[in-house]
Amino acid sequence: MERRKFLKTAGAGLAAGAVTMPTLSRAQQAALPEVKWRLASSFPRSLDTIFGAAEVMSKRVAAATGGKFQIQVFAGGEIVPALGVVDAVQNGTVQAAHTAPYYFWGKDPAFALDCAIPFSLNVRQTNAWQLFGGGLELFREFYKTYNIHQVPCGNTGAQMGGWFRKEIKSLNDLKGIKMRIGGMAGKIMEKLGVVPQLIAGGDIYPALEKGTIDAAEWVGPYDDEKLGFNKIAKYYYYPGWWEGGPQLDGFFNINEWNKLPPEYQNIVEAACWEANTWMVAKYDAVNPAALKRLVGGGTQLRRFSNEMMVAAYKASLEVYKELEQKSPAFKKIYASMVKFRDDELLWFQVSEKAFDDFMHGIHRIK
Amino acid sequence: MERRKFLKTAGAGLAAGAVTMPTLSRAQQAALPEVKWRLASSFPRSLDTIFGAAEVMSKRVAAATGGKFQIQVFAGGEIVPALGVVDAVQNGTVQAAHTAPYYFWGKDPAFALDCAIPFSLNVRQTNAWQLFGGGLELFREFYKTYNIHQVPCGNTGAQMGGWFRKEIKSLNDLKGIKMRIGGMAGKIMEKLGVVPQLIAGGDIYPALEKGTIDAAEWVGPYDDEKLGFNKIAKYYYYPGWWEGGPQLDGFFNINEWNKLPPEYQNIVEAACWEANTWMVAKYDAVNPAALKRLVGGGTQLRRFSNEMMVAAYKASLEVYKELEQKSPAFKKIYASMVKFRDDELLWFQVSEKAFDDFMHGIHRIK
């Protein structure tokens, strides 16, 4: 047979699905499509851990598909504004996004529950709620309205409370303080007398240096050190009670998601969960050294007083009551989170806490 | 062309790799092999969370490969004895195993470091050490001697300290206590006067009931409740200081691993990490309700006294010094773990602990 003719005929046979010989049939089944997606991150490349989680996911997906499924990751602003990524996924401008859902609480406060709200869950409690407490089901139902399929894809762990130029000794010291803090936390801080300010990451340093603001929260030691806040604010407060375990998500346009072969959907789900662990682990690995450098350089660590934390907690309950009135989705998902959290806290304060607390003291004995 | 003849010719063309037409070429590249593996678990199906982690991994791998890569999971004893799984992977009887490496500390105590040793790491610290503290590199180098490639695949979280028929009020009360506890923890307990006993899971209840033993440790509320220990021992101690975050592993015969296409290797790695999170999350979700039922049924929760914990910690240092003499691998990897742990504890006792501690108290205010 002439080579050209053989190829043409064999090709036609494959295309029509008429070939029944096992070898060809397997090859045909295996012919997964080449897919190229664009993913819009809400983060700059300089936040290498948060931004990096999307890259880790994307690289694993490519390697797991022999390079056939490529998800190109763009930093915030490169193809879509950092805070425009939900719209972009919803209307199909991009197939995917990587973001912190609480940025979008203005659309609906329920978004924030899928990330962190003040006094919600730590990392493990978040994972348990998403996987076994009904979280995933609730959010996937909620996001359908936005044409989005969600897969958890990263977590920072408990963040720090931020940098203050002056020490906050009592609740009264908060009155009139101008602080760079956004979202629900800003709303709660406002109830305590703080004047919350929305300032982009790159603009915080000059504002704090000039005294336009008195305090600023960002992430934790590793990221904060890079922005140099320690040079212009002496007091580093903890805990970031508004971010006990904020989750990042992979957001996928639901039509694009449904077009994927099940193999690719499964690979993305597994890769997102892997990236979730990767990101927590990386922060846990790089934060200690950064914290040591900061403290070694003169930074004064301070715990928010119990008085202030209790006042903030009570203020948060007021805010949540208001939000329950505004959003049925928030009301429903908040109730699920609170019920689950109460059980988690009961369990975590037994063996897990006793082990950690003991280790914090004893490990210096070698 | 006669159909039969076409098929034969087309098959020969594919087999020889001579087909250059794009459609066929892609199909050919995509023709990943059908692979069937057997995985020997060290666990019974009744431990649905630990055993389940291997099943979660296996199901994800199958779904991510369109069913072409099947890993059949066998319970301990079904095809390989529960504690024979390392030998079985090493000599190729099975391609894979799912186990708690510390079972094999008799081969070399370094195995235990890849799971938990008394007073080592919690879940997050374990993940961070494996991924960013040199853990994975150290273990993969170590396991080469055993013909094994390792991927972390599960974690129980901090376990409970176990069931005691009598209250342990002082270190003196431990003297002569017969306790079901194995491995290094048994060796350390022995230094405190305990008589450690090795008893399989199913035999613990009758031994404790008859008074052949006075105490027994197993896992945590969810698994312990199923074995009914609460009916025959009143005091439930915590923390399980010998298991702050014991990691399970997927063990893969290195020759079989190297034969896999890179796509399958990548899928298994991601699926194992996903199963790791799944297992921690499931325990965190099911333990609280079990603990409530146990306490509601009369179980008395007790924290091991500080006196006892400090004595155990000091005894553990003696044991580790002995093991460092015996095993160069233990010495090298233990040093890496201790150095990493010290940094982790410094970091975790700041924001993470402050957030958790505050939540443990405040959440009852609604």
Side-chain angles (χ1 to χ4, degrees):
Chain A
M1 187 168 61
E2 200 184 305
R3 181 177 159 82
R4 184 181 300 264
K5 190 175 172 196
F6 156 68
L7 292 176
K8 198 173 165 191
T9 324
L14 279 179
V19 178
T20 53
M21 192 177 64
T23 310
L24 274 187
S25 174
R26 275 205 298 275
Q28 190 180 16
Q29 281 175 19
L32 290 169
E34 293 196 4
V35 176
K36 284 195 195 305
W37 273 12
R38 298 191 305 166
L39 181 149
S41 168
S42 288
F43 309 102
R45 287 173 200 277
S46 55
L47 284 174
D48 56 357
T49 311
I50 306 189
F51 179 80
E55 287 189 311
V56 162
M57 182 273 283
S58 151
K59 280 181 188 160
R60 186 64 97 185
V61 169
T65 60
K68 296 175 98 184
F69 186 7
Q70 298 282 348
I71 302 175
Q72 194 177 353
V73 180
F74 294 91
E78 284 182 4
I79 52 169
V80 169
L83 301 183
V85 302
V86 163
D87 293 341
V89 171
Q90 187 174 1
N91 64 29
T93 306
V94 293
Q95 295 87 357
H98 185 242
T99 192
Y102 61 14
Y103 292 149
F104 306 95
W105 78 298
K107 288 181 184 290
D108 191 311
F111 273 92
L113 285 160
D114 194 25
C115 178
I117 65 170
F119 306 106
S120 55
L121 307 167
N122 68 19
V123 174
R124 276 174 58 175
Q125 293 158 3
T126 297
N127 290 345
W129 180 48
Q130 292 276 352
L131 286 170
F132 294 98
L136 278 187
E137 290 81 358
L138 287 164
F139 288 115
R140 288 179 178 177
E141 186 195 355
F142 168 70
Y143 287 130
K144 274 189 187 161
T145 327
Y146 297 87
N147 215 21
I148 282 174
H149 176 74
Q150 165 260 39
V151 185
C153 189
N155 199 310
T156 63
Q159 296 192 11
M160 291 291 284
W163 300 84
F164 288 71
R165 288 162 62 103
K166 287 186 191 155
E167 213 171 345
I168 305 296
K169 291 188 176 167
S170 76
L171 204 47
N172 211 41
D173 290 342
L174 280 178
K175 307 266 185 258
I177 285 274
K178 288 184 208 127
M179 180 172 186
R180 186 270 177 194
I181 185 168
M184 287 189 195
K187 223 173 147 65
I188 292 162
M189 283 288 198
E190 206 167 17
K191 287 187 185 273
L192 306 185
V194 170
V195 185
Q197 313 271 318
L198 270 176
I199 302 174
D203 300 328
I204 303 175
Y205 185 95
L208 196 55
E209 189 181 28
K210 283 182 210 152
T212 313
I213 55 174
D214 310 293
E217 70 92 35
W218 186 234
V219 184
Y222 178 71
D223 291 322
D224 292 6
E225 185 190 31
K226 286 197 269 184
L227 293 190
F229 300 138
N230 52 310
K231 294 175 207 153
I232 43 171
K234 189 173 170 188
Y235 301 99
Y236 197 17
Y237 274 83
Y238 66 90
W241 42 261
W242 50 95
E243 295 177 288
Q247 176 180 283
L248 288 291
D249 273 349
F251 278 166
F252 305 101
N253 177 285
I254 212 159
N255 306 316
E256 297 291 335
W257 179 263
N258 289 336
K259 274 193 264 173
L260 290 179
E263 289 90 334
Y264 289 3
Q265 293 176 342
N266 275 278
I267 288 169
V268 171
E269 296 250 356
C272 282
W273 279 109
E274 183 191 16
N276 196 292
T277 295
W278 177 92
M279 181 173 150
V280 176
K282 180 161 179 199
Y283 268 123
D284 286 343
V286 296
N287 273 326
L291 184 66
K292 280 200 278 192
R293 285 190 299 270
L294 290 169
V295 171
T299 289
Q300 298 283 313
L301 278 181
R302 291 287 184 278
R303 189 188 178 286
F304 284 129
S305 72
N306 210 52
E307 178 200 22
M308 186 193 156
M309 299 266 290
V310 171
Y313 180 83
K314 289 182 177 169
S316 78
L317 296 182
E318 290 173 29
V319 170
Y320 300 151
K321 279 201 178 65
E322 295 162 21
L323 296 174
E324 283 177 318
Q325 299 301 315
K326 285 183 189 163
S327 160
F330 181 88
K331 185 174 181 178
K332 182 177 173 182
I333 305 176
Y334 176 73
S336 163
M337 186 278 287
V338 167
K339 186 170 180 297
F340 194 81
R341 183 190 65 191
D342 287 354
D343 272 357
E344 291 301 281
L345 291 169
L346 178 139
W347 165 234
F348 273 82
Q349 74 186 322
V350 182
S351 206
E352 202 71 48
K353 176 175 162 55
F355 179 78
D356 287 346
D357 283 355
F358 183 76
M359 290 309 300
H360 286 146
I362 199 74
H363 72 105
R364 288 178 191 88
I365 303 177
K366 308 278 187 211
Chain B
M1 186 168 61
E2 198 186 307
R3 180 176 161 82
R4 186 181 299 263
K5 190 174 170 195
F6 156 68
L7 292 177
K8 200 171 164 194
T9 324
L14 278 180
V19 178
T20 53
M21 191 177 67
T23 310
L24 275 187
S25 175
R26 275 205 298 276
Q28 190 179 16
Q29 281 175 18
L32 290 168
E34 292 198 3
V35 176
K36 283 194 195 305
W37 273 13
R38 298 191 305 166
L39 181 150
S41 167
S42 287
F43 309 102
R45 288 172 199 276
S46 56
L47 284 173
D48 55 357
T49 311
I50 306 188
F51 179 81
E55 287 189 311
V56 163
M57 183 273 283
S58 151
K59 280 181 189 160
R60 187 64 96 185
V61 169
T65 60
K68 297 176 98 185
F69 186 7
Q70 297 283 348
I71 302 175
Q72 195 178 354
V73 180
F74 294 91
E78 284 182 4
I79 52 169
V80 168
L83 302 183
V85 301
V86 164
D87 293 342
V89 171
Q90 188 174 0
N91 64 30
T93 306
V94 293
Q95 294 86 358
H98 185 241
T99 192
Y102 62 13
Y103 291 150
F104 306 95
W105 77 298
K107 288 181 183 289
D108 190 310
F111 273 92
L113 285 161
D114 194 25
C115 178
I117 65 169
F119 306 107
S120 55
L121 307 167
N122 69 20
V123 174
R124 276 175 58 177
Q125 293 158 2
T126 297
N127 291 345
W129 180 49
Q130 293 276 352
L131 286 170
F132 294 97
L136 278 187
E137 290 80 359
L138 287 164
F139 287 115
R140 288 179 179 178
E141 185 196 356
F142 168 70
Y143 287 130
K144 274 187 187 164
T145 328
Y146 296 88
N147 216 21
I148 281 174
H149 177 74
Q150 164 260 37
V151 186
C153 188
N155 198 310
T156 64
Q159 296 192 11
M160 292 290 284
W163 299 85
F164 288 71
R165 288 162 63 101
K166 287 185 192 156
E167 213 171 345
I168 305 296
K169 291 187 176 167
S170 76
L171 204 47
N172 211 42
D173 290 342
L174 279 178
K175 308 266 186 257
I177 285 275
K178 288 184 209 127
M179 180 172 185
R180 186 270 178 193
I181 185 169
M184 288 189 195
K187 221 172 148 65
I188 291 163
M189 283 287 198
E190 206 167 16
K191 286 186 186 273
L192 306 185
V194 169
V195 185
Q197 312 271 319
L198 271 177
I199 301 173
D203 300 329
I204 303 174
Y205 186 94
L208 196 57
E209 189 181 29
K210 283 181 210 151
T212 313
I213 54 175
D214 310 294
E217 69 93 33
W218 186 233
V219 185
Y222 177 71
D223 291 322
D224 292 8
E225 184 191 32
K226 286 197 268 184
L227 293 190
F229 299 139
N230 54 309
K231 294 176 207 151
I232 43 171
K234 189 172 169 188
Y235 301 99
Y236 197 19
Y237 274 83
Y238 66 91
W241 42 262
W242 51 94
E243 296 177 288
Q247 175 180 283
L248 289 290
D249 273 349
F251 278 166
F252 305 101
N253 178 285
I254 211 160
N255 306 315
E256 297 290 337
W257 179 263
N258 290 336
K259 274 194 266 174
L260 289 179
E263 289 90 334
Y264 289 3
Q265 293 175 342
N266 275 279
I267 288 169
V268 171
E269 296 249 356
C272 281
W273 279 110
E274 183 191 17
N276 197 292
T277 295
W278 178 92
M279 181 172 150
V280 176
K282 180 163 177 197
Y283 268 124
D284 286 343
V286 295
N287 273 326
L291 184 66
K292 280 200 277 191
R293 285 191 299 269
L294 290 169
V295 171
T299 289
Q300 299 283 312
L301 279 181
R302 292 285 185 277
R303 190 187 176 287
F304 284 130
S305 72
N306 210 51
E307 178 200 22
M308 187 192 155
M309 299 267 288
V310 171
Y313 179 83
K314 289 181 175 170
S316 78
L317 295 181
E318 291 173 28
V319 171
Y320 300 151
K321 280 201 177 64
E322 294 163 20
L323 296 174
E324 284 177 318
Q325 298 301 314
K326 284 183 190 164
S327 160
F330 182 87
K331 185 173 180 179
K332 182 177 175 182
I333 304 176
Y334 177 73
S336 163
M337 185 277 288
V338 168
K339 185 170 180 298
F340 194 82
R341 184 191 65 192
D342 287 355
D343 272 357
E344 291 301 280
L345 290 169
L346 177 140
W347 166 235
F348 274 82
Q349 74 186 323
V350 182
S351 204
E352 203 72 46
K353 175 174 162 55
F355 180 78
D356 287 346
D357 283 356
F358 182 76
M359 291 309 300
H360 286 147
I362 199 75
H363 71 105
R364 288 178 191 88
I365 303 177
K366 308 278 185 209

